[in-house]
Amino acid sequence: MHDAGGSRWELVTLSYTDQAEALLWHLQHVPFRADLAAARPEACDNELWAGIVREAAQFAEGVLDPLGHELDRNGARRIDGRVVTAPVHHAAWQQFRELGWMTMVAREPVGQGLPLALLGACEELFNRASAAFYMLPTATRTAATLIDQIAPGPVRDDWVPRLLAGEWAATICISEPDAGSDVGRIRTQARRDGDGWTVTGEKCWISFGDHDLAARIGHMALARSNTTPGVKGLSLFLIPSIRDDGVPNGVSARRIEEKLGLHGSPTCQMGFDGAEAILLGEEGRGLQSLFPMMLQMRLACGPQGTGVATAAYATALAYAQDRRQGGTADAAPVPIATHVDVQRQLLDMAASVELNRALHLTAANALDLAEAAADPGRRAHWMELAQFLLPLVKDGGAWAACDVASKAIQVLGGAGYTQAWPVERHLRDARVFPIFEGTSGIQAIDLLHRRLWREGTPGLSAFVAAVRADALGNAALTGALDQLEAVVRVMKDWKSSPRRAEAGASALLDLCKAVALGWMAARIVARAGTDPVSLGIRAAAAYCLAELEPRCVCLAQLALLGEERLDGVAALTTSSAR
């Protein structure tokens, strides 16, 4: 810290150990921790949690962090029709597998049965070290969870242990060249072949669609299994890259995409040519069958975003204290962290990290309680709340990574724009986060149509009730929540004028995120102690609360501005305007 006389500066850094301690503080104080401990007392051992998070920090720093630059510069390549990863990737993957990081939340006896929030804390540390590396474990782990739930016994027994051991890997295959978020237009065909199925078609944007880190890859693919239009004609299939007899299964990587970032994670266009496939779940209910995997992958976007945001913020924090510019001309230059605008940016970055971190841990608790609560009504309540929170977690974490990385470049100035510092890589890696697992626009429209209009707002109501309980005596949070409820009342009345409401859907999503982060901030301010970890987290939360109400007023006005401001789009899109 800089002393009052301006003569001494002690550098404050944000190490992996510091991050681990902050995560442990959050794990104890985020909403629903007591509910989870009551439902799963055997899984909520504080001493065990502390040991696991600290070990994850050591592994992230010692093994994964050195990969970041190497995977960016020498990522995966396609050679003789196969995807080949960097040698350093193999060594790290082997250590990751052997230490059992894939098994944390899987049910016993194949896994440890630990809570999703604890996994999320570890995932944030791993993503800080290398988001490209961690793209593979997420799809593989969530596929194993789904196969364990819905696959026939022999398939489950064959695949789940090998996936969780990292011996085999998995992908999620939804998008096609002409069907991205519009899954009802999927054209990949599944046909009955005796007692089984074969699949033919093309899939794109498949992370780790092919690679040499695992002996076999299972593709969790949606394909059209009947003639019913839309999503009702889709079924979910497990398509192995290699058949049981060791023969290739008609699965190939057509190409690897040349990308802005995440170079260590090969994004493939995949072809399926009469590939043998295993039906998972009911025929014609593919999207519903895939839903549990999609929920967990969406949850994983939270720690992915806060992990990358933490990496960028840590660099900016250290640089701002070390870089000296400005001050009076007759004295030595001062650290730029003493300048008001730099302080504002550092607090803004810290708030984004701490509050989105708290939110993804909160959603993880809700999703666990949706399975663990004893009463069916309570399980339904937790699931409704989790489904409302997950788009906020996904989009919030995604933009936290982008925005914090961009602000870090701003703090570093011209240095940040060069490859001499890692923040330019963090921005390149993060830019895809608001796109995959459903773009921000898709999340906003889904929030409006599904959560407000179609389902009667049970998730929103559960959210509002939880926030109200923590808003007592906090004028900023109460005012922000009032703004949200006022907007929701109007938008519910606009159901018959969908374009009018859709024009403000993105602002509504941002308003929900702002209220959710304000909720986290209010709880932190009320619970933080005087130890160094608490003081840092509290400072970030207090900054958020100071700006919360005016920010929400602005977002509320944008949400209700109507569609008239979009009328000019015709001039941009019609040939006559040219």
Side-chain angles (χ1 to χ4, degrees), residues 144-348:
T145 299
L146 184 60
I147 291 170
D148 187 45
Q149 292 175 357
I150 68 172
V155 176
R156 181 181 65 242
D157 295 343
D158 194 27
W159 279 86
V160 172
R162 289 179 172 88
L163 288 173
L164 293 177
E167 178 185 345
W168 293 354
T171 73
I172 184 168
C173 292
I174 299 176
S175 294
E176 298 182 4
D178 295 316
S181 299
D182 191 0
V183 295
R185 299 186 188 278
I186 283 175
R187 295 190 297 179
T188 295
Q189 294 291 319
R191 302 186 185 280
R192 291 189 182 274
D193 184 12
D195 293 333
W197 294 81
T198 62
V199 170
T200 299
E202 301 282 328
K203 296 289 183 180
C204 59
W205 317 124
I206 310 304
S207 299
F208 282 95
D210 187 38
H211 55 88
D212 56 358
L213 296 169
R216 198 182 195 192
I217 302 171
H219 301 282
M220 307 288 282
L222 288 177
R224 191 158 298 284
S225 59
N226 61 58
T227 58
T228 305
V231 297
K232 293 183 179 180
L234 301 177
S235 295
L236 176 63
F237 296 91
L238 169 60
I239 308 175
S241 60
I242 298 171
R243 298 178 186 175
D244 290 341
D245 59 6
V247 174
N249 190 30
V251 179
S252 61
R254 309 291 202 214
R255 69 167 187 263
I256 300 179
E257 303 294 346
E258 297 292 335
K259 302 179 298 185
L260 182 67
L262 292 180
H263 295 151
S265 171
T267 301
C268 303
Q269 180 165 330
M270 303 298 299
F272 300 93
D273 301 306
E276 292 183 359
I278 303 162
L279 177 67
L280 297 179
E282 296 180 37
E283 194 273 328
R285 291 180 58 81
L287 196 58
Q288 294 91 331
S289 298
L290 191 58
F291 190 59
M293 182 177 179
M294 294 170 65
L295 284 180
Q296 291 212 19
M297 290 192 72
R298 191 162 289 177
L299 177 66
C301 291
Q304 179 184 59
T306 53
V308 174
T310 301
Y313 168 56
T315 300
L317 179 64
Y319 186 92
Q321 297 170 90
D322 186 60
R323 174 66 166 163
R324 293 174 178 268
Q325 290 278 283
T328 60
D330 59 350
V334 298
I336 64 172
T338 61
H339 299 315
V340 171
D341 192 60
V342 174
Q343 293 173 355
R344 177 189 61 80
Q345 292 179 78
L346 292 174
L347 277 168
D348 194 84

Side-chain angles (χ1 to χ4, degrees), residues 395-565:
D395 202 60
W399 284 112
C402 290
D403 292 344
V404 171
S406 182
K407 287 185 174 70
I409 292 175
Q410 194 72 17
V411 169
L412 269 67
Y417 196 64
T418 71
Q419 294 181 358
W421 294 85
V423 286
E424 62 85 25
R425 168 167 55 86
H426 299 322
L427 181 58
R428 288 188 288 105
D429 284 350
R431 190 57 191 87
V432 75
F433 296 169
I435 298 172
F436 62 36
E437 300 300 326
T439 66
S440 297
I442 292 293
Q443 303 290 343
I445 294 299
D446 185 71
L447 175 67
L448 177 67
H449 281 263
R450 185 189 303 270
R451 306 302 171 203
L452 263 64
W453 291 345
R454 190 185 312 169
E455 296 180 353
T457 68
L460 173 63
S461 297
F463 170 73
V464 168
V467 178
R468 283 283 181 210
D470 285 318
L472 296 175
N474 190 304
L477 182 55
T478 299
L481 194 55
D482 289 344
Q483 291 289 333
L484 174 59
E485 290 193 291
V487 169
V488 167
R489 285 193 295 270
V490 174
M491 283 201 160
K492 288 173 72 174
D493 290 339
W494 284 357
K495 184 177 180 180
S496 59
S497 305
R499 179 174 169 82
R500 190 179 188 187
E502 288 168 0
S506 289
L508 173 63
L509 175 62
D510 289 342
L511 178 57
C512 289
K513 290 188 298 183
V515 172
L517 297 185
W519 176 30
M520 299 297 102
R523 289 180 56 89
I524 289 168
V525 167
R527 289 163 175 76
T530 58
D531 59 284
V533 173
S534 295
L535 288 175
I537 296 171
R538 189 187 188 283
Y543 174 84
C544 168
L545 287 175
E547 293 194 344
L548 180 63
E549 195 165 3
R551 190 181 301 276
C552 289
V553 168
C554 177
L555 289 170
Q557 290 176 347
L558 289 171
L560 301 181
L561 197 56
E563 79 274 27
E564 290 80 6
R565 69 189 190 278

Side-chain angles (χ1 to χ4, degrees), residues 43-63:
C44 295
D45 184 320
N46 291 340
E47 186 175 345
L48 175 65
W49 284 24
I52 290 173
V53 172
R54 289 167 182 154
E55 184 178 348
Q58 292 178 3
F59 181 80
E61 182 176 23
V63 178

Side-chain angles (χ1 to χ4, degrees), residues 81-97:
R82 291 299 311 276
V83 176
V84 178
T85 56
V88 293
H89 203 154
H90 284 257
W93 178 244
Q94 183 68 23
Q95 292 182 66
F96 186 84
R97 292 175 49 197

